[in-house]
Amino acid sequence: RWLGPYYGIRNVIHTFQNTESPRRLAPIDIYIHFYSLQRQDSAVALQDVVDWVLKQDVGFQWAGEYVRAVRDFRNARLYQKGDGWELENDGSLPSLRWDQSPGRWLDMQRSQGVLGFWTTSANVSYVHLDNSLRHQIYWTAQAPFQPLVLSSAVPIQQMAQGKGILNLTMSTYPGQAGKLLLYWPYRGDVKLSVEQGRQHWDLGRASPQIMAFRGQRVSVLRWPFQSRWSGLVRLTAQAE
């Protein structure tokens, strides 16, 4: 028998906040019982939780994807290799947390199997991984001369780049939405497009902005991604 308080689910917001800062301990997960809508105060509290979650700067994952990532992390092997690190896994781990990175920037020239990284205000770094089975991670004091992924709400499988161009292979579904944030060391507007098979869509142009990151003012590209596709697509960002 459900005796209340019927608004108790609202307290999960405090749990989400406490397991996010100063370092992330657990993901956001809303588990809903069907009887949560039996009473108005419980339904209102549930809506408050959903509204709060949708305002957070997070990436959304299916529960099955998270389970695969946890299993991959538990079975992964990390070795120190000279002044760097080598990670072996099964390709389902989207990121790896680095509590004390030995350098200010990810060395994209020497690293392999990585997409980029993000650093929180508590100096905790998250290295973004592609879906390959082996990753080499090196750090450096110098900002890179090529673009990299700072954050993405859409899963990225692979990354390829050339001078002034970046290609991201992304796993999408219709209606999927989120922010894509790139470190972009080039000047001028950026042309964005998507390809799937033989089909091509122009997404328009975006202008780089200046943002404080790792104690520096750097050029970044923000793009509010809104998917109309299902499956793998290739997003291209090209400097003009």
Side-chain angles (χ1 to χ4, degrees), residues 51-209:
D51 291 342
W52 183 89
V53 169
L54 293 177
K55 293 177 182 177
Q56 306 310 303
D57 187 15
V58 296
F60 295 93
Q61 255 188 332
W62 299 107
E65 293 175 332
Y66 179 72
V67 170
R68 287 192 293 272
V70 170
R71 289 176 176 171
D72 195 1
F73 175 76
R74 290 180 174 178
N75 295 324
R77 294 174 295 276
L78 182 66
Y79 310 95
Q80 188 164 9
K81 189 175 182 180
D83 60 341
W85 298 82
E86 184 167 304
L87 174 72
E88 295 179 356
N89 65 320
D90 71 6
S92 299
L93 187 63
S95 61
L96 186 67
R97 194 179 82 193
W98 224 271
D99 286 350
Q100 295 294 330
S101 58
R104 296 180 64 85
W105 289 87
L106 196 62
D107 190 339
M108 298 300 291
Q109 295 277 3
R110 302 174 64 194
S111 299
Q112 296 181 15
V114 299
L115 306 167
F117 78 112
W118 177 255
T119 300
T120 69
S121 57
N123 200 30
V124 175
S125 296
Y126 293 87
V127 178
H128 309 314
L129 308 174
D130 65 17
N131 64 351
S132 57
L133 305 182
R134 180 169 294 180
H135 315 267
Q136 295 183 4
I137 302 170
Y138 293 91
W139 296 90
T140 180
Q142 303 298 323
F145 296 103
Q146 67 265 50
L148 57 83
V149 177
L150 294 177
S151 66
S152 175
V154 181
I156 301 174
Q157 306 294 324
Q158 289 287 330
M159 180 176 74
Q161 55 185 303
K163 187 175 181 180
I165 189 169
L166 179 70
N167 291 316
L168 300 175
T169 301
M170 314 177 82
S171 178
T172 66
Y173 57 86
Q176 186 178 25
K179 182 183 69 177
L180 175 65
L181 181 63
L182 305 175
Y183 168 76
W184 192 261
Y186 308 115
R187 295 182 179 180
D189 287 347
V190 183
K191 181 181 179 182
L192 294 119
S193 62
V194 163
E195 291 183 1
Q196 187 177 53
R198 297 182 179 181
Q199 294 183 294
H200 178 95
W201 297 267
D202 288 324
L203 302 182
R205 287 166 173 77
S207 299
Q209 304 170 359

